[in-house]
């Protein structure tokens, strides 16, 4: 990754010294991607370089065609703009990047655009799981057909997540179908190839599905596993953002047990809050509901009932306003758990019932059924 950064800086330097060419569009976009990385977190500077990249791309386009569209769009709409503009605003552009990349035979970046389009929909709740399954399946078939392994790996990981959440046992295991291996075997293969970013993302996927299935022990297991595969400080993605959020939820849940490791888990949760405070400064739309939920869990840990309830409600209403359907359901579920812990069974039933409706609209049948079971228990 460090050599890639040096190459990007060299490309920008050559452009400034010798003038613009079509590749300059990618150099500016790639530099913006470097600025958004955890080592920098210069979201405003990154956003401005992304806009410069798009302007240069347009300048060197002929009748709307440019061989670098997929590369620039992958970086700008798949990495940079998620920290400034609503997730949903990048979706159509990533689809355009896929189409333009296919037309210009830049299949590697075409399929990276397609992969990011699908994953971004999972994180944003921008589509029902039924539609996502169809899109991810189509993407996996085509990525396999054209030998786009890097994109295929991520597509298969998140297709498996969708099938787990949908509780669809009628489908064959996508790992066996497209990669001819199990998830565990894939993980070990990528570890041997030192692809630690992918291994970290796979752990994030497991934390995501475990929490939605109510499996805290499983989430803790994959949190601890993810520590073996640190994500590069030179790269930032929606998966790392999701991982930071899930780590905070796992940490506060563990800390609320008030056992001997409370301080350890509390510090992890506070670190997640710190990360999202920085993210919210750049994009309230994408991150404020996550921050409110983390803050609610922190207040619950401290025993600040009124503050916790206020933050839970803010997380729920903000997620609803910003059209993050699955995270509205998750915030409702967490609020229901809090009310249940406090002995307010009527309030808990109301929150679980609303969470069930959100998960049902999303198509997450396994999670909906778990909420329905909680509602039945509280109704007796």
């Amino acid at each position: 990754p460090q050599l890639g950064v040096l190459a990007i800086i060299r490309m920008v330097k050559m452009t400034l010294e010798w003038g613009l060419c079509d590749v300059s569009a990618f150099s500016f976009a790639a530099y913006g991607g470097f600025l958004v990385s955890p080592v920098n977190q210069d979201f405003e500077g990154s956003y401005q370089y992304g806009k410069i990249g798009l302007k240069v791309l347009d300048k060197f386009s002929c009748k709307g065609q440019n061989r670098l569209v997929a590369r620039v769009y992958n970086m700008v709409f798949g990495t940079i703009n998620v920290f400034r503009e609503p997730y949903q605003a990048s979706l159509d552009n990533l689809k355009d990047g896929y189409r333009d990349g296919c037309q210009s035979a830049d299949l590697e970046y075409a399929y990276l655009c397609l992969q990011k389009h699908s994953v971004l929909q999972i994180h944003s709740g921008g589509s029902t799981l039924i539609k996502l399954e169809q899109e991810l399946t189509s993407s996996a078939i085509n990525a396999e057909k054209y030998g786009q392994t890097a994109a295929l790996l991520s597509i298969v990981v998140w297709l498996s997540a969708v099938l787990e959440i949908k509780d669809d046992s009628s489908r064959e295991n996508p790992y066996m179908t497209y990669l001819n291996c199990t998830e565990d075997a894939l993980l070990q293969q990528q570890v041997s190839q030192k692809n630690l970013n992918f291994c970290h993302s796979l752990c994030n996927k497991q934390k995501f599905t475990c929490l939605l299935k109510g499996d805290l022990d499983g989430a803790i297991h994959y949190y601890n596993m993810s520590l073996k595969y640190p994500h590069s400080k030179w790269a930032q993605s929606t998966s790392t953002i999701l991982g930071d959020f899930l780590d905070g939820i796992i940490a506060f849940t563990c800390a609320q047990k008030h056992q001997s490791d409370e301080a350890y888990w509390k510090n992890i949760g506070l670190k997640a809050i710190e990360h999202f405070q920085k993210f919210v400064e750049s994009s309230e739309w994408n991150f404020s509901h996550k921050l409110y939920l983390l803050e609610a869990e922190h207040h619950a840990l401290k025993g600040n009932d009124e503050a916790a309830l206020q933050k839970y409600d803010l997380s729920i209403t903000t997620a609803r306003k910003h059209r993050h359907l699955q995270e509205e359901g998750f915030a409702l579920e967490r609020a229901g758990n809090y009310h249940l812990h406090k002995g307010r069974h009527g309030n808990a039933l109301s929150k679980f019932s609303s969470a069930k409706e959100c998960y049902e609209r999303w198509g997450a049948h396994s999670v909906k059924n778990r909420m329905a079971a909680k509602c039945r228990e509280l109704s007796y």
Side-chain angles (χ1 to χ4, degrees), residues 70 73-75 77-79 90-91 93-99 102 107-123 132 135-140 142-143 148-159 162 195 197-198 201-202 231 236-240:
Y73 277 25
N74 172 70
M75 189 60 68
F77 298 111
T79 300
S90 291
L91 294 173
N93 291 301
L94 287 168
K95 264 297 185 64
D96 290 342
Y98 165 69
R99 285 191 288 266
C102 289
L107 294 183
E108 178 184 3
Y109 279 86
Y111 278 90
L112 287 176
C113 283
L114 187 61
Q115 170 244 313
K116 287 187 176 180
H117 177 271
S118 300
V119 174
L120 197 58
Q121 287 196 88
I122 295 173
H123 297 331
L132 266 174
E135 178 177 320
L136 285 163
T137 299
S138 175
S139 300
N142 288 315
Q148 299 305 310
T149 305
L152 178 62
L153 292 179
S154 181
I155 291 168
V156 169
V157 165
W158 289 103
L159 175 57
V162 168
N195 188 0
N197 285 353
F198 174 82
S201 295
L202 195 151
H231 198 277
Q236 186 82 275
S237 69
T238 51
S239 178
T240 60

Side-chain angles (χ1 to χ4, degrees), residues 57-67 69 100 103:
L57 183 72
D58 184 63
K59 178 180 177 66
F60 284 91
S61 295
C62 178
K63 297 181 179 179
Q65 299 296 312
N66 188 304
R67 67 190 177 100
V69 168
D100 280 60
Q103 290 173 3

Side-chain angles (χ1 to χ4, degrees), residues 10 41 54 69 115 128 130-131 143 148 155 187 189 208 235 247 257 281 294 301 328 335 345 351-352 356 366 374:
R10 180 63 175 162
Q41 293 200 329
L54 291 173
V69 168
Q115 170 244 313
T128 66
I130 293 175
K131 290 182 179 179
Q148 299 305 310
I155 291 168
L187 178 62
Q189 177 193 87
F208 177 68
D247 290 348
K257 295 180 180 180
E281 290 176 7
L294 289 169
L301 171 64
E328 178 189 349
H345 290 191
K351 297 299 183 186
F352 289 144
K356 180 175 75 70
S366 66
K374 286 193 172 191

Side-chain angles (χ1 to χ4, degrees), residues 63-299:
K63 297 181 179 179
Q65 299 296 312
N66 188 304
R67 67 190 177 100
L68 295 169
V69 168
R71 295 175 182 243
V72 175
Y73 277 25
N74 172 70
M75 189 60 68
V76 173
F77 298 111
T79 300
I80 295 173
N81 282 16
V82 296
F83 288 95
R84 282 299 307 270
E85 298 181 359
Y87 279 170
Q88 297 90 340
S90 291
L91 294 173
D92 287 345
N93 291 301
L94 287 168
K95 264 297 185 64
D96 290 342
Y98 165 69
R99 285 191 288 266
D100 280 60
C102 289
Q103 290 173 3
S104 62
D106 188 2
L107 294 183
E108 178 184 3
Y109 279 86
Y111 278 90
L112 287 176
C113 283
L114 187 61
Q115 170 244 313
K116 287 187 176 180
H117 177 271
S118 300
V119 174
L120 197 58
Q121 287 196 88
I122 295 173
H123 297 331
S124 68
S127 180
T128 66
L129 292 182
I130 293 175
K131 290 182 179 179
L132 266 174
E133 180 191 351
Q134 294 170 347
E135 178 177 320
L136 285 163
T137 299
S138 175
S139 300
I141 291 171
N142 288 315
E144 180 187 30
K145 178 180 179 181
Y146 293 105
Q148 299 305 310
T149 305
L152 178 62
L153 292 179
S154 181
I155 291 168
V156 169
V157 165
W158 289 103
L159 175 57
S160 74
V162 168
L163 294 175
E164 284 183 48
I165 299 166
K166 282 184 69 217
D167 196 22
D168 189 350
S169 58
S170 64
R171 284 284 304 269
E172 292 185 12
N173 184 333
Y175 290 103
M176 296 302 301
T177 302
Y178 302 107
L179 302 173
N180 197 31
C181 67
T182 64
E183 183 174 279
D184 288 341
L186 175 62
L187 178 62
Q188 294 308 312
Q189 177 193 87
Q190 297 303 305
V191 169
S192 68
Q193 295 176 9
K194 301 188 185 306
N195 188 0
L196 299 187
N197 285 353
F198 174 82
C199 297
H200 191 89
S201 295
L202 195 151
C203 290
N204 286 339
K205 169 259 179 180
Q206 284 287 4
K207 287 182 283 187
F208 177 68
T209 55
C210 283
L211 283 177
L212 284 173
K213 293 187 292 186
D215 180 8
L216 178 62
D217 289 339
I220 294 171
H221 169 75
Y222 283 103
Y223 167 78
N224 289 325
M225 184 182 289
S226 71
L227 299 179
K228 302 177 185 177
Y229 317 121
H231 198 277
S232 171
K233 64 181 180 179
W234 304 101
Q236 186 82 275
S237 69
T238 51
S239 178
T240 60
I241 297 166
L242 177 67
D244 285 345
F245 172 66
L246 297 175
D247 290 348
I249 295 296
I250 293 167
F252 281 128
T253 304
C254 292
Q256 287 162 13
K257 295 180 180 180
H258 300 293
Q259 296 178 348
S260 59
D261 56 358
E262 178 179 337
Y264 168 77
W265 288 114
K266 178 183 176 182
N267 287 334
I268 295 170
L270 291 175
K271 185 177 180 181
I273 287 178
E274 183 181 339
H275 286 173
F276 277 89
Q277 285 173 337
K278 179 73 173 178
F279 295 160
V280 166
E281 290 176 7
S282 184
S283 175
E284 290 188 6
W285 184 280
N286 291 334
F287 307 119
S288 58
H289 60 286
K290 288 183 170 71
L291 176 59
Y292 288 140
L293 187 54
L294 289 169
E295 290 174 335
E297 298 294 341
H298 185 211
H299 285 301

